[in-house]
Amino acid sequence: MKRFLRLSAAVALAALTMTACGFGGKDEASGDGKTLSLLVPSYSNGTKALWEGIIADFQAKHSDITVNLEIQSWDNINDVIRTKVQAKAAPDILNIDAFSGFASDNLLYPAAEVVSPDTLADFQDSFAKNASIDGTMYGLPMIASARTLFYNQELLDKAGVTKPPATWQELYDAAQKIKNLNAGVYGYGMPLGSEEAQAETSLWIFGNGGSWNEGDKITVNNPRNAEAVQFMKRMIDAGLTQPDPGASDRTPMLDVFIQGKIAMAVGLPPTVGQIAQKNPKLKYGTAPIPTKDGQPMTLGVADHLMAFKNDGSKKDAIKTFLDYFFSAEVYKKFVDTEGFLPTTKSGAEALKDKKEIVSFLEVLPGARFYPSTNPRWAATQGAIQSQIGQIGQGKDPKAVLTGIQAKADA
């Protein structure tokens, strides 16, 4: 999640360590059960002020609890938390992407112990499941991102495409009509370069009911996955994508879309702001990502809050703070200010009229995720990033998936 979410925060701060809130508090929390340490990453220039305001308001309502805030850059936070855990000085509450390693080491409270039943039930079901290991939820999904199809309305109009495609075949047909314009534009942007090939490939695989895993086993080369990658190759072979998609990374590909040279591409919430900045005259729309059968689906990514057990004395204070943070108004303000998507049902309802994210919110409940809690996923993802682009060079999809599977099994 780290790399993706930093794209939304145009300015990632350099190594930044602050203790604030508790206002005059110590660098580490005391053992009185009422002084909490909160370690968070910087998402934007406004992250510090946003957290300080939330904590000040919380302490005004709960004067017996002190919250000491520490902010780190995304470049440093993984090293910082690793050092703290090794020194048996973990924060009481941490905001980061991955939680499974801490949970596996029995360092975290189960979510049900540190938030109320109402707060727990408010999380989108798909995000709650993704934050769970063996049926127990440890991470509290805090902020999310999802994908949706962006389309150039002018190009679709010129090609006689009357509505954005909902199925693979409709996408193929629309891209073919764009190609037939002979206007030097491409029908669909398919970034299979190393930046995020696993994301583009996942959209196709999930859109066919496929999966990267079955239980604890990574299953790259299953029939549904092979069918999806075969259709990707069909798009490439027909010349319906940008040239050499295996060498195309997502960020520069989306720049080409923003320039008006690609008719359709999958984008993220920050893509809206990038269009406004780089080409505000672009007439575009958003729609659910096409799938084989037209059923809406998206790739979900989330960062989490998690609570460390430490000496066990602070569970009640942690629960009070986390319930406050996830209350509708407080949580809405945080998500909206930082420009992300809510992971709670009440948050989605509160932001349903924000036009920039409406299409993302619509597909959020059906989000699918990488099997990030599987210890073999990191190797699998690396293999997808380095090998899947070979389908654009004529290599058989089944052979490519078999090669990726071999890396996953190594």
Side-chain angles (χ1 to χ4, degrees):
M1 184 69 169
K2 174 180 71 174
R3 180 173 66 177
F4 172 71
L5 287 183
R6 280 187 298 173
L7 296 175
S8 306
V11 181
L13 300 183
L16 193 81
T17 306
M18 305 172 206
T19 54
C21 308
F23 304 102
K26 295 179 292 182
D27 188 46
E28 62 273 341
S30 72
D32 61 4
K34 295 290 188 178
T35 302
L36 302 178
S37 56
L38 171 64
L39 174 59
V40 303
S42 176
Y43 289 108
S44 70
N45 279 336
T47 298
K48 176 178 180 288
L50 182 58
W51 271 118
E52 287 180 340
I54 289 171
I55 294 171
D57 291 344
F58 169 77
Q59 292 182 157
K61 296 177 181 292
H62 303 277
S63 58
D64 60 327
I65 300 176
T66 298
V67 181
N68 290 327
L69 174 68
E70 179 180 347
I71 299 180
Q72 292 284 344
S73 74
W74 270 115
D75 292 332
N76 291 346
I77 196 166
N78 285 292
D79 291 335
V80 169
I81 186 59
R82 188 180 304 112
T83 299
K84 286 180 179 289
V85 168
Q86 290 173 347
K88 299 187 184 305
D92 298 305
I93 304 172
L94 173 67
N95 166 204
I96 205 170
D97 46 359
F99 64 88
S100 61
F102 302 129
S104 297
D105 290 339
N106 197 31
L107 298 176
L108 302 181
Y109 284 111
E113 295 186 23
V114 288
V115 293
S116 68
D118 286 346
T119 298
L120 201 63
D122 195 28
F123 290 108
Q124 298 278 6
D125 294 344
S126 58
F127 282 89
K129 182 178 180 181
N130 185 59
S132 302
I133 299 175
D134 295 331
T136 298
M137 185 173 169
Y138 290 96
L140 297 167
M142 179 183 171
I143 49 178
S145 186
R147 314 295 169 106
T148 195
L149 183 73
F150 282 70
Y151 57 90
N152 184 315
Q153 187 64 65
E154 287 188 343
L155 289 178
L156 263 60
D157 288 345
K158 287 180 181 178
V161 179
T162 58
K163 62 179 181 179
T167 67
W168 288 354
Q169 190 59 52
E170 289 175 359
L171 176 65
Y172 185 99
D173 294 342
Q176 184 65 61
K177 290 179 179 179
I178 297 296
K179 180 183 178 181
N180 292 342
L181 292 175
N182 294 316
V185 295
Y186 309 110
Y188 177 75
M190 187 182 291
L192 300 180
S194 60
E195 179 186 359
E196 217 182 29
Q198 82 284 356
E200 178 69 22
T201 310
S202 294
L203 293 171
W204 291 87
I205 283 174
F206 295 163
N208 194 38
S211 176
W212 293 117
N213 67 303
E214 292 181 11
D216 294 336
K217 182 175 175 57
I218 294 292
T219 53
V220 173
N221 58 350
N222 65 68
R224 287 186 181 273
N225 293 4
E227 182 183 16
V229 178
Q230 185 64 56
F231 198 93
M232 294 167 64
K233 187 175 188 300
R234 181 184 168 197
M235 293 276 293
I236 297 169
D237 291 347
L240 306 183
T241 70
Q242 80 281 15
D244 197 7
S248 296
D249 285 336
R250 185 199 68 206
T251 300
M253 183 278 296
L254 284 174
D255 282 339
V256 177
F257 170 82
I258 292 170
Q259 294 163 11
K261 298 298 184 180
I262 294 177
M264 296 169 287
V266 172
L268 313 94
T271 306
V272 175
Q274 292 162 3
I275 293 172
Q277 178 185 17
K278 297 177 180 180
N279 188 9
K281 294 183 179 179
L282 182 70
K283 294 182 179 179
Y284 74 96
T286 60
I289 295 166
T291 60
K292 183 181 180 182
D293 61 6
Q295 291 297 310
M297 176 281 313
T298 191
L299 174 65
V301 186
D303 279 356
H304 299 86
L305 285 172
M306 59 207 75
F308 284 80
K309 296 177 181 179
N310 293 325
D311 66 4
S313 69
K314 302 179 184 179
K315 183 163 64 172
D316 290 344
I318 291 170
K319 184 174 182 178
T320 301
F321 179 75
L322 291 176
D323 278 340
Y324 176 80
F325 175 78
F326 282 109
S327 61
E329 286 304 312
V330 177
Y331 180 63
K332 172 190 173 183
K333 179 180 179 181
F334 185 92
V335 174
D336 197 28
T337 301
E338 291 286 23
F340 297 121
L341 301 177
T343 59
T344 63
K345 299 164 189 173
S346 61
E349 177 66 21
L351 292 169
K352 67 180 181 180
D353 294 327
K354 187 175 181 181
K355 63 180 182 179
E356 296 93 336
I357 63 171
V358 167
S359 60
F360 295 97
L361 293 177
E362 288 175 349
V363 296
L364 208 54
R368 296 280 307 274
F369 299 88
Y370 305 131
S372 54
T373 59
N374 189 302
R376 299 305 306 160
W377 173 245
T380 307
Q381 175 174 307
I384 296 167
Q385 290 170 312
S386 64
Q387 296 185 37
I388 198 67
Q390 295 173 3
I391 65 171
Q393 301 164 2
K395 194 164 183 180
D396 177 65
K398 289 185 179 180
V400 174
L401 292 179
T402 297
I404 297 170
Q405 183 73 57
K407 291 290 186 180
D409 294 339

